[in-house]
Amino acid sequence: MQPRFDLKDFFRNNRKQILLSIFLFWFIFASLVFIEDGIALWIANLKVDPVDNLQYSIRWVLWTMITPLIITLAVKIPVRKQFLMRDITRHFVFALLVIALEFSVEIPIIRFATLNITGVMPPVAAYAGVFILKLNIYLLLYFLVVGTTYLVLYIDRDHRSRLLAQHAELKNQQLQTQLSEAKLSFLKMQLDPHFLFNTHHSIISLMLDNQNEKAITMLTKLSDLLRLSLEDQKQTIPLEKELELLKLYLDIQKIRFYERLHILMHIDPATLQQNVPSFILQPLVENAIKYGVSVSSGASTITISSQVSGDKLVLKVENDGSRIDTGNFREGIGIANTKERLQQLYNSKSSFGLVNTESGKVAATISIPKN
């Protein structure tokens, strides 16, 4: 939909530019007429008639003054395609009225000025021939002003439409960004309570087994983990900080599983300052513990690695002790949210894979764009 045009608002916002444009238009037009007449008189070896010059000057001043009226008529009576002949006819009638108005003001002023210059006042009938001879030129001038008005309005309307479209697009992008951020925050909050529930359950289990010192240590580690995670609410953090958070989480799990849980870290130093989604590794490690360590009667190893491959940062969490039943596998909340967060943050530029390896392990691999 085209924005509604407000004539008063348009003139109020562009008053100086419009008045200056009108003045320059008629000044240049009148100057060209004077130059043309001067050249013609010079070629014909005739003298300049001061009365004629005065008449031209008064005429172009009056046209300058009535131009805003013509602009108003152009806006109030738009020429539409479906009513082309009717609208042009209406403007033709108004053109005649405007020209008659201009002459009705011009003639008395010129007669009075002529009387003061020559001492003789010309009769009104003497101007009838001028009116008839100049009518076609004045009609062209009227429609020239109308056409110029439509051109300016079209440019202005197009400009305002572009601004509105740009504003709407910017607003839409802002809303999309806010929606994505809200969704990411919601997904992240789904992970934290899930982890907290499991840790809380482990602390209770230790207390029931009279392992109060371990329960206190685990609770202290949990407090440190929560403090660090709440210090920075950004969706992405350096891998170094992500590993710091993960270490606190693993310290909690080591208290729970003791010698049954072994952790190996293969972290490329070049990856430590790469940004990763916060708490992106925790659900993968949690799954490795839940489906690997907790179901194994012996010791299990979880290997966490990072490396740069081309323009990608590759994070991997591997565990032994169990394999994926591909026929009955169903994604849990941790994996589902991890994939959703990657999609929200990186769209198709990220990937996630969970597979059984040939060495008998389960590997969860995340690939995201590097900084």
Side-chain angles (χ1 to χ4, degrees):
M1 179 182 293
Q2 290 286 353
R4 184 177 179 182
F5 181 78
D6 189 322
L7 180 63
K8 292 183 179 179
D9 184 65
F10 182 79
F11 272 106
R12 183 168 53 252
N13 295 332
N14 304 277
R15 184 186 300 109
K16 291 182 179 179
Q17 296 91 325
I18 292 174
L19 294 178
L20 180 60
S21 298
I22 292 173
F23 172 78
L24 289 176
F25 174 83
W26 288 114
F27 178 79
I28 294 173
F29 187 90
S31 298
L32 292 175
V33 171
F34 278 118
I35 292 173
E36 180 184 359
D37 286 351
I39 294 173
L41 291 173
W42 178 73
I43 293 175
N45 198 24
L46 298 175
K47 294 183 178 181
V48 176
D49 187 345
V51 175
D52 285 343
N53 282 344
L54 177 63
Q55 181 174 332
Y56 280 129
S57 300
I58 293 173
R59 184 171 300 159
W60 301 131
V61 169
L62 291 175
W63 271 95
T64 302
M65 295 175 64
I66 64 175
T67 296
L69 172 62
I70 301 175
I71 293 174
T72 303
L73 291 173
V75 175
K76 295 295 185 181
I77 310 173
V79 177
R80 294 156 294 184
K81 183 178 180 180
Q82 60 271 36
F83 305 112
L84 185 62
M85 293 306 300
R86 189 191 71 179
D87 292 337
I88 290 178
T89 301
R90 292 171 67 181
H91 271 292
F92 183 81
V93 172
F94 277 108
L96 293 177
L97 293 175
V98 168
I99 295 170
L101 173 64
E102 190 275 329
F103 261 91
S104 66
V105 176
E106 174 188 329
I107 291 175
I109 296 175
I110 292 178
R111 291 180 69 214
F112 180 77
T114 304
L115 176 63
N116 283 273
I117 294 174
T118 64
V120 179
M121 179 178 289
V124 175
Y127 294 94
V130 177
F131 179 83
I132 295 174
L133 293 175
K134 298 291 185 180
L135 181 61
N136 59 335
I137 297 177
Y138 294 155
L139 285 173
L140 288 175
L141 290 177
Y142 176 92
F143 282 101
L144 175 62
V145 174
V146 171
T148 303
T149 301
Y150 288 152
L151 177 61
V152 172
L153 294 184
Y154 174 80
I155 294 173
D156 177 74
R157 186 177 289 112
D158 181 69
H159 176 66
R160 288 186 294 127
S161 296
R162 289 177 182 274
L163 289 178
L164 288 174
Q166 291 174 359
H167 178 74
E169 179 64 23
L170 179 61
K171 189 69 174 178
N172 182 61
Q173 291 177 357
Q174 291 174 342
L175 291 174
Q176 290 293 334
T177 301
Q178 292 172 359
L179 178 62
S180 296
E181 290 177 351
K183 192 170 184 180
L184 283 168
S185 297
F186 174 73
L187 291 171
K188 184 179 177 182
M189 288 304 295
Q190 280 186 296
L191 296 176
D192 295 346
H194 187 56
F195 159 66
L196 291 174
F197 173 79
N198 289 339
T199 305
H200 181 258
H201 180 73
S202 298
I203 293 172
I204 293 175
S205 298
L206 288 172
M207 295 176 66
L208 291 175
D209 291 340
N210 292 320
Q211 300 183 57
N212 293 332
E213 290 186 5
K214 288 185 177 180
I216 293 172
T217 302
M218 183 179 286
L219 188 58
T220 302
K221 295 288 186 180
L222 177 61
S223 297
D224 292 338
L225 176 61
L226 291 175
R227 176 178 56 79
L228 287 176
S229 64
L230 292 173
E231 282 180 355
D232 195 343
Q233 293 297 312
K234 294 180 180 179
Q235 288 295 340
T236 61
I237 58 176
L239 178 60
E240 186 176 25
K241 187 168 185 178
E242 173 71 7
L243 293 174
E244 184 180 352
L245 294 169
L246 184 62
K247 184 177 182 301
L248 286 171
Y249 170 79
L250 288 171
D251 287 342
I252 294 172
Q253 298 295 5
K254 283 180 181 180
I255 296 173
R256 177 185 174 190
F257 293 101
Y258 195 46
E259 293 183 351
R260 291 172 56 198
L261 176 60
H262 297 282
I263 304 296
L264 293 178
M265 292 277 191
H266 299 298
I267 306 299
D268 184 348
T271 65
L272 290 176
Q273 296 306 313
Q274 294 291 319
N275 287 332
V276 300
S278 58
F279 266 80
I280 198 68
L281 293 175
Q282 182 270 331
L284 303 184
V285 173
E286 184 175 21
N287 276 348
I289 292 174
K290 180 178 180 180
Y291 298 106
V293 180
S294 62
V295 298
S296 176
S297 58
S300 297
T301 301
I302 296 177
T303 304
I304 302 165
S305 62
S306 68
Q307 64 178 9
V308 173
S309 178
D311 61 348
K312 300 290 185 181
L313 171 64
V314 180
L315 306 173
K316 184 179 292 186
V317 176
E318 295 180 287
N319 70 275
D320 53 21
S322 68
R323 295 177 67 79
I324 300 173
D325 182 357
T326 54
N328 299 308
F329 176 74
R330 296 182 63 183
E331 291 182 353
I333 186 173
I335 293 177
N337 281 349
T338 296
K339 294 170 70 173
E340 183 70 14
R341 290 184 70 196
L342 292 174
Q343 175 63 27
Q344 285 290 319
L345 285 168
Y346 306 108
N347 296 319
S348 60
K349 296 179 181 179
S350 65
S351 64
F352 176 83
L354 185 65
V355 297
N356 294 315
T357 67
E358 295 180 357
S359 59
K361 299 180 179 181
V362 176
T365 304
I366 292 175
S367 176
I368 59 175
K370 70 175 185 179
N371 294 350

